[in-house]
Amino acid sequence: MSIDSTVTHVVAALAVVIAASSALGAAARKLRQPSVIGQLFAGIALGPSLLGLAPDGVYQTLFPDEIKPILTAVAQVALVLFLFAVGYELDLGQLRNRGTVTAVSLSGFAIPMLMGAGIVLLFTGGFRSVNGGHPVDATFTLYMAVALSITAVPVLASIIRDQGLAGTRPATIAMAAAGVIDALSWPVLAVALIGGEDGSLRAWTVKVALLAGYVLVMFVVVRPALKWWMNRPGALMTNHVPLAAALALASAWATSALGLHVIFGALLAGIVMPRQPDGAPDSQVLRPLQETGGLLLPVFFTISGMSVQLGGLHAADLLLLLVICAAAVIGKVAAGALSARGGARLPWRDSLMIGVLLNTRGLTELIVLNVGLQAGVIGPRLYALLVVMALITTAATGPLIRPLHRPADAAPPGRTGTGPGPDPGDEQTPDSGQAPAVDAEPTPQP
């Protein structure tokens, strides 16, 4: 295929991807579902599971093998920019919260991890048969534990907004806890994947040391240098967006060179990016990166959907899917509900709502699954099962919280609400959905 032909195919494919994702995303919103649900369905529809069944080679004509690496590269750039924005908004001060948020966060992280590891130990044979020859070892077990512990902050923010929950106690606690869970999950995922294909102790130790050194350099050298550059005389009117984009891409390259995925470098770059004097992210830097990443995210959803080969699933895989879904739902709902009820004496209705909200996985889960697929930790069949699990748990959040929601439960005047923005892929400006800091604990009620 010539360069001109390749460019033509890429442009046409991008047009179809963005149009289909936008249409199905809007359809999902009309059904009171996050747009990511429709966008992922668009990816599955454009992949071999549906479009691949069309006659006359329609799928290969629209998405020839020669352009798939280019689309994958575009999807990775979108992830880098989006996750830089997530890291930039990440408030590490939430890790120091006490009381309800801390109890819900730690429970919502640890209990699902135990459930994920537990089902691997109980159903080792089932996972081995569905994992396409990939080893079911300690790395796999830790990876599955993280996969079940993830909560999708961006999608959760969208659900809270769409369901009219902004400002309620359950929404405020769930958003803050989800932010802490994310902050805990990424490092654990990095540890799970850092061994790479060579899982020897020596290789793992060397990579851990290199990664620790890189993190130290980013905080001790890069961050002070960025502060000096951005605060130097005459820099007040300077556009810092190119600097932020270059930092995100360079850091993503660095972690990729260390044997990790580009997403870890993007998150770290966002964390070390200097903020305004009041500690808030600079909206003039944050907003353009969110918009650019959000515009290209449909390509990521499409690439994710193309990797889902539903036709390759076996009837016996459905039993394992039920086990995974049950562990995912029970782990999150029980962890959130019991910790909120026992730690803060919140009413059962509010406690259950917190647990249901934390069961939202969506975009963040898809990122984790793609990383695992690319790293060779999971195979295509298990990847398809986990994508279906992510769809089921995310789509079920809205219908499950409606019977629990009481409009009269809105937070009293003056209490800070969640203030969530649109979820990625909306026609509006995308928002990373980072949870705000909780200034005060909600007043417990018997």
Side-chain angles (χ1 to χ4, degrees):
M1 184 180 292
S2 66
I3 294 178
D4 289 342
S5 177
T6 300
V7 171
T8 300
H9 276 83
V10 170
V11 170
L14 288 175
V16 172
V17 166
I18 293 175
S21 297
S22 177
L24 290 188
R29 294 299 297 272
K30 289 184 177 180
L31 296 174
R32 302 187 70 182
Q33 290 289 345
S35 59
V36 64
I37 298 292
Q39 290 171 334
L40 183 57
F41 271 118
I44 295 175
L46 293 175
S49 295
L50 188 58
L51 187 61
L53 302 178
D56 301 327
V58 174
Y59 174 70
Q60 284 297 329
T61 301
L62 184 58
F63 298 106
D65 292 337
E66 291 83 353
I67 73 167
K68 288 180 181 177
I70 300 176
L71 294 179
T72 301
V74 173
Q76 295 303 308
V77 171
L79 277 184
V80 167
L81 297 179
F82 175 76
L83 288 171
F84 173 87
V86 172
Y88 191 31
E89 284 195 312
L90 183 62
D91 182 9
L92 296 180
Q94 293 181 80
L95 297 175
R96 298 189 296 269
N97 282 334
R98 297 291 184 266
T100 306
V101 172
T102 299
V104 173
S105 303
L106 295 180
S107 298
F109 176 69
I111 293 179
M113 282 197 68
L114 293 174
M115 295 287 287
I119 61 173
V120 173
L121 296 177
L122 289 174
F123 300 93
T124 303
F127 280 102
R128 187 175 288 116
S129 66
V130 81
N131 208 27
H134 299 279
V136 179
D137 52 11
T139 296
F140 175 84
T141 302
L142 185 56
Y143 173 84
M144 285 296 300
V146 175
L148 264 65
S149 70
I150 285 290
T151 294
V153 179
V155 182
L156 177 58
S158 174
I159 291 175
I160 288 174
R161 180 199 63 212
D162 293 343
Q163 299 292 331
L165 295 172
T168 62
R169 291 175 302 164
T172 302
I173 294 171
M175 278 293 293
V180 176
I181 291 171
D182 261 12
L184 296 173
S185 298
W186 295 118
V188 177
L189 180 62
V191 170
L193 300 178
I194 201 170
E197 296 181 0
D198 183 1
S200 67
L201 178 61
R202 182 178 181 275
W204 188 88
T205 304
V206 169
K207 289 188 177 182
V208 167
L210 290 174
L211 179 60
Y214 176 67
V215 172
L216 186 64
V217 169
M218 288 290 284
F219 277 98
V220 175
V221 178
V222 176
R223 189 170 193 177
L226 288 171
K227 286 184 177 180
W228 171 82
W229 180 259
M230 296 173 68
N231 295 323
R232 75 190 192 282
L236 183 61
M237 301 303 294
T238 303
N239 181 7
H240 296 303
V241 174
L243 174 65
L247 173 66
L249 294 169
S251 183
W253 167 81
T255 53
S256 179
L258 291 174
L260 287 173
H261 199 274
V262 296
I263 63 172
F264 299 106
L267 280 164
L268 181 59
I271 292 172
V272 303
M273 185 71 181
R275 297 180 172 220
Q276 294 180 311
D278 62 356
D282 185 351
S283 61
Q284 294 182 350
V285 173
L286 183 64
R287 188 62 62 184
L289 294 178
Q290 287 178 328
E291 290 174 346
T292 304
L295 177 64
L296 297 177
L297 274 178
V299 183
F300 167 72
F301 294 125
T302 299
I303 294 298
S304 301
M306 286 181 177
S307 301
V308 177
Q309 300 181 17
L310 298 178
L313 296 178
H314 303 166
D317 296 344
L318 296 179
L319 177 60
L320 187 61
L321 175 62
L322 291 175
V323 170
I324 294 172
C325 288
V329 173
I330 294 173
K332 280 293 186 183
V333 175
L338 294 177
S339 59
R341 176 64 179 174
R345 305 296 299 170
L346 294 179
W348 273 114
R349 182 189 295 265
D350 289 354
S351 300
L352 286 172
M353 187 178 293
I354 290 172
V356 171
L357 289 172
L358 291 180
N359 195 41
T360 304
R361 287 177 173 84
L363 172 62
T364 311
E365 181 76 9
L366 293 180
I367 295 173
V368 171
L369 298 183
N370 271 269
V371 172
L373 183 65
Q374 292 177 14
V377 178
I378 59 175
R381 280 170 61 193
L382 182 55
Y383 173 81
L385 292 181
L386 292 174
V387 168
V388 173
M389 179 272 291
L391 283 170
I392 291 174
T393 54
T394 304
T397 302
L400 288 176
I401 63 176
R402 283 171 202 147
L404 299 172
H405 176 40
R406 295 176 299 185
D409 284 345
R415 176 170 294 169
T416 302
T418 59
D423 65 312
D426 286 353
E427 295 178 0
Q428 305 173 25
T429 303
D431 183 7
S432 71
Q434 177 59 41
V438 178
D439 298 327
E441 288 292 333
T443 303
Q445 293 185 3

